[in-house]
Amino acid sequence: MAICRLRSLFSPSKCKSSSFSFYQSFKPRTFSSSHHLPSHLQNVGFIGLGNMGSRMANNLIKAGFSVTVHDLNSDVLDKFSHMGVATKKTPCEVSEASDVVVTMLPSSAHVCDLEKPFMLDAPVSGGVIAAEAGTLTFMVGGSEEAFAAAKPLFFSMGKGAIYCGGAGNGSAAKICNNLALAVSMLGVSEALALGQSLGVAASTLSKIFNCSSARCWSSDSYNPVPGVMEGVPSSRDYNGGFASKLMAKDLNLAAESAKQAGCKHPLTSQAQKIYTELCNEGHEGKDFSCVFRHYYTGMDEHVDQ
């Protein structure tokens, strides 16, 4: 999640009206060349080329969009420039060169106000792995016509785009999603660490979880135990995923939202406490699955291939 929680905004500047109903189902679309792209989306600006954004921008390029990029990291800009992608020094220059602007930034405080007539808040779920594979899920808030107009972008970077209602609802959905994710990661990590203490290998327990009632994404797709699963942050010292500080931030938002709504939130509060502690102990930059090692003191496992 994503997982980051990272926030993205789509702001189509030349969207056309559409009669598309968000209750209808639709399949992902791919484009072989810019000649097949909607005229209002041919030139795409992309701001924010971090772990997630760089991969998402690459997928837009592969889909045939003409992409212009910006990031504060000059090394990243040089990399895209060497690929033949247009780069700009400021977000305003990106906006001027683009029909639509995508931002993929750490928090709403970083999002530039580009003063476009249409704006969608579209947080993503799936993390770096899904960003690389183009299988992200987008939770979208804003007008229905802007959502319909932006579909080709969503399905060039992901496998799903769910309309959540008016402006801000995408972010609200993401907060709820990350709350459930945090709690499931804590539950899986706690159970696996307990299993190790009782003499049951984490790989054995994971196999049990994944074919029984405990199965969840934190177990079968993002296992927190180093050595159990390849290609996930736990296999690379918890680097390159959704930082614990971002999970703590989303849990803070969830707790505040629950208070304002008058909802009970004991699990939110406990998860918030754990991830805040994890960050205070110096692990804020590590993927949130590092809670297995640094909170529960779970052990690495060497699995025979």
Side-chain angles (χ1 to χ4, degrees):
M1 30 254 58
I3 348 254
C4 7
R5 159 55 211 94
L6 298 181
R7 183 183 178 195
S8 68
L9 289 177
F10 290 79
S11 50
S13 61
K14 300 179 181 177
C15 294
K16 300 177 181 178
S17 298
S18 172
S19 58
F20 172 80
S21 170
F22 65 90
Y23 295 106
Q24 296 176 342
S25 61
F26 46 87
K27 297 179 180 180
R29 297 172 62 188
T30 56
F31 304 93
S32 60
S33 75
S34 60
H35 298 295
H36 298 89
L37 300 177
S39 61
H40 63 286
L41 293 179
Q42 289 186 358
N43 300 306
V44 179
F46 204 106
I47 300 171
L49 302 170
N51 288 332
M52 296 286 291
S54 61
R55 291 164 170 81
M56 294 165 69
N58 277 330
N59 284 329
L60 288 174
I61 294 167
K62 292 176 183 177
F65 291 95
S66 176
V67 179
T68 301
V69 301
H70 167 74
D71 194 271
L72 294 177
N73 188 328
S74 60
D75 291 337
V76 174
L77 286 183
D78 288 342
K79 178 180 178 181
F80 274 84
S81 179
H82 291 154
M83 292 166 51
V85 178
T87 62
K88 299 295 182 180
K89 295 181 179 179
T90 68
C92 289
E93 291 179 356
V94 172
S95 178
E96 292 171 354
S98 307
D99 299 318
V100 58
V101 176
V102 180
T103 71
M104 191 65 186
L105 302 167
S107 70
S108 57
H110 295 90
V111 177
C112 298
D113 180 6
L114 298 176
E115 299 183 350
K116 301 297 179 181
F118 292 93
M119 186 75 73
L120 297 173
D121 60 294
V124 302
S125 180
V128 174
I129 296 173
E132 180 80 35
T135 57
L136 292 166
T137 296
F138 295 87
M139 291 151 274
V140 188
S143 72
E144 291 182 44
E145 64 174 343
F147 172 66
K151 283 191 300 176
L153 291 174
F154 292 130
F155 287 107
S156 293
M157 298 181 286
K159 65 178 181 179
I162 300 172
Y163 182 68
C164 301
N169 279 19
S171 295
K174 177 63 173 179
I175 290 171
C176 294
N177 182 80
N178 275 11
L179 162 59
L181 174 59
V183 171
S184 71
M185 181 58 74
L186 292 175
V188 167
S189 297
E190 188 168 316
L192 291 174
L194 174 60
Q196 287 181 331
S197 298
L198 297 177
V200 183
S203 56
T204 299
L205 270 181
S206 295
K207 290 178 183 177
I208 294 171
F209 291 175
N210 296 342
C211 65
S212 65
S213 56
R215 183 179 183 182
C216 64
W217 189 81
S218 296
S219 173
D220 70 2
S221 299
Y222 213 78
N223 197 286
V225 183
V228 170
M229 183 178 291
E230 295 182 355
V232 294
S234 62
S235 69
R236 48 180 185 268
D237 196 29
Y238 300 104
N239 292 315
F242 184 56
S244 293
K245 63 182 178 183
L246 296 178
M247 180 59 83
K249 180 206 69 174
D250 280 354
L251 288 168
N252 290 339
L253 292 172
E256 183 61 30
S257 297
K259 290 177 183 177
Q260 292 180 3
C263 295
K264 294 180 179 179
H265 56 286
L267 296 182
T268 303
S269 296
Q270 187 61 28
Q272 180 186 26
K273 178 180 177 181
I274 290 173
Y275 275 100
T276 297
E277 180 179 328
L278 199 65
C279 292
N280 290 340
E281 291 179 353
H283 309 298
E284 68 275 6
K286 295 290 186 179
D287 181 78
F288 77 106
S289 61
C290 78
V291 70
F292 171 79
R293 174 188 288 172
H294 297 301
Y295 182 82
Y296 291 108
T297 62
M299 298 175 289
D300 296 10
E301 186 163 309
H302 299 288
V303 182
D304 294 332
Q305 301 297 325

